[in-house]
Amino acid sequence: MSKAPTIRSPKSGGDRSLDSLPPRSVDQVPSAKKSWTPPRIILWAAIALLGGVSWTMLAIVRGETVNAIWFVFAALCSYLIAYRFYSKVIQKFITKPDDTRATPAEYKADGKDFVQTDRRVLFGHHFAAIAGAGPLVGPVLAVQMGFLPGTVWIIVGVIFAGAVQDYLVLFFSTRRGGRSLGQMARDELGKVGGTAAIVASLLIMIIIIAILALVVVNALAESPWGVFSVGMTIPIALFMGVYLRFLRPGRITEVSIIGFVLLMLAIVGGGWVGETDWGVAIFTLDRTTLAWALIIYGFIAAVLPVWLLLAPRDYLSTFMKIGVIGLLAAAIVIVRPEISVPAFSKFASGETGPVVPGTLFPFLFVTIACGALSGFHALIASGTTPKLLQKERQSRFIGYGGMLMESMVAVMALVAAVTLDQGIYYAMNSSAAATGGTVEGAVAWVNSLGLTGVNLTPDQLTQTANDVGEASIVSRTGGAPTLALGLANVMHQLIGGTGMMSFWYHFAIMFEALFILTAVDAGTRVSRFQLQDTIGNIVPAFRNTSWRPGVFISTAIMVAGWGAILLMGVTDPLGGINTLFPLFGIANQLLAAIALAVCLAIIAKNNNFRWLWVVAVPLAFVAVITISASFLKIFSPVTAVGYWANHVAFRDALAAGETTLGTAQTVEAMEAVVRNTFIQGTLSIIFVTLAIIVIATAIVATVRSYRSGGGVSSEDPRVESRVFAPSGLTATAEEKEIQKQWDALPAAQRPTAGH
C-alpha cells in the first residue's frame, strides 16, 4: 500500500487568511495517479460480468419462470458501473467542481436556510425529500405490461436521464446561490420561458402532492391497523423533534434508537388495536375521511417549525427507507423467489389494460416516473439541498448517487409486485368499479381477462386477506398495498413464516406511509415557498417567509389546490389512481423536460457543446415521450385513454337521459366523471403547452449561444472557501490527511460560519 502524500498548505496569491489554512481541496495537493492494479481490474471485471449475466438471464435466457435474484444483481452492477465511470465523465467534462470555491451554505450562512451540513446527513435529507410515492407506485402499476420493459426503463433511464438531471440541477443551482428551478429558467431562458417554468412548477406540484396523498389514502382506507400505526408516527416525530431541540440536543444516536423502538411498538400496537371493537370503530376510516385528515395534516405540518416535525421525520424515514429496501434485497437473494409474470404481457400492446390504460409506448415511461426520471427532484435539487451543500464535489455523491438509491427502491417495488400471483395482483389493482369491490366480483373480473395460467378463486383472496390481517384486499389500488403484500410474501419466507405475514404487511404499510408523508408535508412546504416568491413580485411582504399572514395564506392556497384534486381522486367512479396517475406521470416528466432544458441552455452558455449530448439525448427522449402521452390523453378517441373522449361520452349520455354508463352506475357518478375528465383534460393542455414553451425557448437560447460562442454566465461571483470536507461517503487517503491538518488547527484559527 502506498504511503499517503505529505500535504502542505499552498499559497493563495496574497490572501494571508487563506495562507494560514490547510488545503481546502484535494486538487491543491500532489496526488499519485491511481493505476489500474490487477485487483482493481479483477473487481470491476467481476462486477461487469455479473451484471452482464444478470441482464442476459432477464432479457434473453427466459424459461417459464425467472429467479428474482437477477433483478437485484442487474441493478446493483449497473449502478456501480454508472456511478464509478459515467458520473465521473460528467464531473470531469461538464460540472468541473472546484472545492476552493465556497458554496452558498458557506458564503450565505444564516443558520436557518443556508447551513453547512455533513454530506452523509445531507444525503439522507435529500433522499428522504425526493423519494416519495413514485418509485413505489409506478413500477407496481407498470407490472401490467410485464417485468422486462419496466426493469430496463428504471435502470437504464436513471443512469442516463434521472441521475444526470438531479446531479446537474443540484450543481448548477449551487453555483447560482441555491436558486430555484424557476429562477434559473428565468435567468437562462428569459421572461417568457422563465414565467412558463414557474407556472408549470406550481401547477405540477399540486398534482404531485395530490397523488402522493391519494396513495396514502388508498393504503390506509378500511385498515384500522394501518391508520393507528401511521397515526402514531406523528406524535413520535413530534417527540423526537422536542427531544433533539430541548431535552438532549445533538443526541442523534439516542433519539434514533428511541424512535425505532417506538415505531416497532406502533406496529405491534396497531395489530392489537385492530382486533378490538373500539379500535375498529375508531380507526376504520373511509377514503373521504382520510382525505380530509391528510388535508388538515398537510396544512399544519407545512406551517409548523421545520425542526418540530419535518426534520425528525426525514431523518427517521431515511433509515427506514434504506434499511427496508436493503433488507428486502437481501431477502430476495436468500429466498430466491421464482417469478412467473411474463417479460411482456398481453396488455403491453393494448390500450385498455385493467390497471393503467394505454400502450407500452409512451405510457410505460410516464407510469414509471420517479424511479427512472422525476421532475419533482429538480425542485428539491434546486430547493433545500444546494443551500446545505458543503463542497461542490459532494454534488455527485448526493445528486447522482441519491437518484441511484431511489432507482433501487423502484426495482425492489417491481420485484415485490412480480413475486405475487398474477390473479391476486390484478384483483388488488383493478378499480372497485371493475371488481364491484367484492371477492366474487374480483374473481369474475380477473378470470375474464384471459390471462395465461391464471384461475383465481375466492379462497385465494380471502386467505390472503386473512394472512395479512385485513378484511379485504380487493381493489386496494394505488400500488402501496401491492408492494406491502409483495414484501410480506418475501419476508415471511425468511423470518417468521406465515404467522408473521400480517406483521410484515403492516410494517410495509407504515414504511410506505412514512416514505410518502415525508414528501407530502415537505412538498407542501416547498410549494408554499414557491407561491410566496411568485406573489412576492406583486406584494413584496410575501417574500419574507417569516411573515405569518403570508405563510398561512400561501399554505392555504396550495393545500386547497392539491386537496381538491385529492378529493376528486378518492370519489372518482373510474378509480382515482387509475385515471390520475397517468396525469401525474405526464406532469412529472414534463417538469423533468423543463429541468433538462434549463441544463441544456446552461451548458451551451458555458460553450461546452462537445458534451451537450449528455443532456440533449435524455431531453429529446423525455420530450417525445411526454408530449406524445399528453397528446394521446388529449386527442385519443379511445375513452379509456383520452380524457376528452371520456368526457364527451359521459356528457352525451347524460344529455340523452341515461342513468348509467360503463363503471358509473348512478347519475351522480356520471356527473363526477364529466367534471373530473374536464379538469384532467384541461390540466393536460396547460401542462404540455407550458413545457413546449420552455423547451422551445431553451433550444433558441442554445442556438444563440452556439452562434456567439457561449453566453454571459449567471453564476454568483466566486467566493474563496475557507473550509474543507470530503466529497464521498468515505474519505480518500488524501482527504483523511487533509482532515488531520484541519483537526489539528487551533480553534481560534478555524473559520466561522459566514466568515
Side-chain angles (χ1 to χ4, degrees), residues 156-180:
V156 177
V158 74
I159 291 171
F160 295 105
V164 172
Q165 174 210 254
D166 290 17
Y167 177 22
L168 292 180
V169 170
L170 174 57
F171 183 84
F172 291 147
S173 177
T174 301
R175 278 281 175 96
R176 287 156 179 78
R179 289 175 216 162
S180 69

Side-chain angles (χ1 to χ4, degrees), residues 153 157 161-166 169 181 197 200-201 204 208 365-366 368-370 372-379 403 584-600 615 618-623 626 687 691 694-695:
W153 169 233
V164 172
Q165 174 210 254
D166 290 17
V169 170
L181 179 65
S201 62
I204 290 172
I208 290 173
F365 304 95
V366 295
I368 300 178
C370 298
L373 173 66
S374 172
F376 176 71
H377 296 187
L379 301 180
M403 183 54 188
F584 161 81
I586 291 170
N588 195 36
Q589 302 305 71
L590 286 173
L591 187 56
I594 289 172
L596 288 169
V598 173
C599 292
L600 183 81
V615 172
L619 171 59
F621 182 78
V622 73
T626 50
F687 291 160
V694 175
I695 294 170

Side-chain angles (χ1 to χ4, degrees), residues 135-149:
L136 301 177
V137 178
V140 171
L141 300 180
V143 166
Q144 167 191 273
M145 299 177 184
F147 72 76
L148 188 57

Side-chain angles (χ1 to χ4, degrees), residues 489-500:
N489 186 49
V490 173
M491 290 304 303
H492 90 275
Q493 299 179 59
L494 181 66
I495 304 174
T498 305
M500 285 286 285

Side-chain angles (χ1 to χ4, degrees), residues 155-281:
I155 298 176
V156 177
V158 74
I159 291 171
F160 295 105
V164 172
Q165 174 210 254
D166 290 17
Y167 177 22
L168 292 180
V169 170
L170 174 57
F171 183 84
F172 291 147
S173 177
T174 301
R175 278 281 175 96
R176 287 156 179 78
R179 289 175 216 162
S180 69
L181 179 65
Q183 290 173 315
M184 287 197 294
R186 191 176 180 86
D187 293 339
E188 306 301 332
L189 309 181
K191 188 174 182 180
V192 174
T195 301
I198 291 171
V199 174
S201 62
L202 280 171
L203 292 177
I204 290 172
M205 182 67 89
I206 289 175
I207 294 297
I208 290 173
I209 299 173
I211 295 298
L212 295 174
L214 182 58
V215 174
V216 177
V217 168
N218 286 344
L220 300 181
E222 312 297 338
S223 175
W225 187 337
V227 169
F228 175 85
S229 297
V230 171
M232 287 302 297
T233 65
I234 297 174
I236 291 172
L238 292 172
F239 169 76
M240 292 174 64
V242 172
Y243 192 94
L244 282 175
R245 182 81 170 185
F246 300 112
L247 302 180
R248 301 275 286 176
R251 304 289 183 172
I252 295 177
T253 302
E254 285 182 18
V255 80
S256 299
I257 295 172
I258 294 172
F260 178 77
V261 171
L262 291 176
L263 281 175
M264 295 302 101
L265 290 176
I267 299 174
V268 176
W272 174 74
V273 169
E275 293 177 353
T276 64
D277 293 338
W278 62 268
V280 172

Side-chain angles (χ1 to χ4, degrees), residues 261-536:
V261 171
L262 291 176
L263 281 175
M264 295 302 101
L265 290 176
I267 299 174
V268 176
W272 174 74
V273 169
E275 293 177 353
T276 64
D277 293 338
W278 62 268
V280 172
I282 295 174
F283 296 105
T284 302
L285 304 179
D286 60 33
R287 285 175 167 81
T288 302
T289 303
L290 279 169
W292 278 109
L294 272 181
I295 290 170
I296 296 170
Y297 164 79
F299 178 86
I300 295 173
V303 299
L304 283 177
V306 69
W307 60 264
L308 184 58
L309 182 60
L310 294 190
R313 184 185 289 281
D314 276 0
Y315 180 76
L316 187 60
S317 67
T318 296
F319 279 102
M320 288 285 289
K321 292 172 182 179
I322 297 176
V324 171
I325 293 303
L327 185 63
L328 178 57
I332 289 171
V333 172
I334 296 171
V335 175
R336 292 178 295 133
E338 292 289 330
I339 294 169
S340 59
V341 173
F344 293 89
S345 79
K346 60 179 290 185
F347 301 115
S349 59
E351 291 186 303
T352 56
V355 179
V356 179
T359 55
L360 188 153
F361 184 93
F363 287 104
L364 170 81
F365 304 95
V366 295
T367 299
I368 300 178
C370 298
L373 173 66
S374 172
F376 176 71
H377 296 187
L379 301 180
I380 303 299
S382 62
T384 55
T385 308
K387 298 176 177 66
L388 307 174
L389 196 70
Q390 282 183 302
K391 287 293 181 180
E392 288 187 350
R393 281 184 184 273
Q394 295 173 353
S395 58
R396 171 174 165 260
F397 165 59
I398 293 168
Y400 200 96
M403 183 54 188
L404 293 182
M405 178 66 74
E406 176 168 311
S407 183
M408 188 64 186
V409 173
V411 171
M412 291 298 98
L414 184 144
V415 174
V418 297
T419 58
L420 296 178
D421 176 85
Q422 288 188 74
I424 293 176
Y425 168 83
Y426 284 103
M428 293 184 72
N429 288 284
S430 297
S431 69
T435 65
T438 65
V439 170
E440 294 75 15
V443 170
W445 165 253
V446 172
N447 289 336
S448 72
L449 297 176
L451 299 168
T452 303
V454 173
N455 184 23
L456 188 63
T457 65
D459 288 344
Q460 285 180 272
L461 293 178
T462 56
Q463 184 59 52
T464 302
N466 290 334
D467 288 342
V468 297
E470 291 291 308
S472 174
I473 60 168
V474 172
S475 294
R476 298 299 301 275
T477 57
T482 303
L483 174 57
L485 181 59
L487 185 145
N489 186 49
V490 173
M491 290 304 303
H492 90 275
Q493 299 179 59
L494 181 66
I495 304 174
T498 305
M500 285 286 285
M501 279 280 287
S502 59
F503 172 84
W504 286 118
Y505 177 85
H506 289 91
F507 175 84
I509 287 291
M510 192 179 72
F511 153 72
E512 292 170 307
L514 273 175
F515 218 103
I516 299 165
L517 280 177
T518 299
V520 170
D521 45 29
T524 302
R525 185 179 289 266
V526 170
S527 65
R528 183 250 289 178
F529 289 150
Q530 292 185 69
L531 184 59
Q532 283 189 264
D533 284 341
T534 303
I535 299 177

Side-chain angles (χ1 to χ4, degrees), residues 710-727:
V712 178
S713 174
S714 60
E715 294 180 357
D716 277 10
R718 176 189 175 89
V719 176
E720 288 291 335
S721 175
R722 292 174 171 80
V723 298
F724 170 76
S727 59

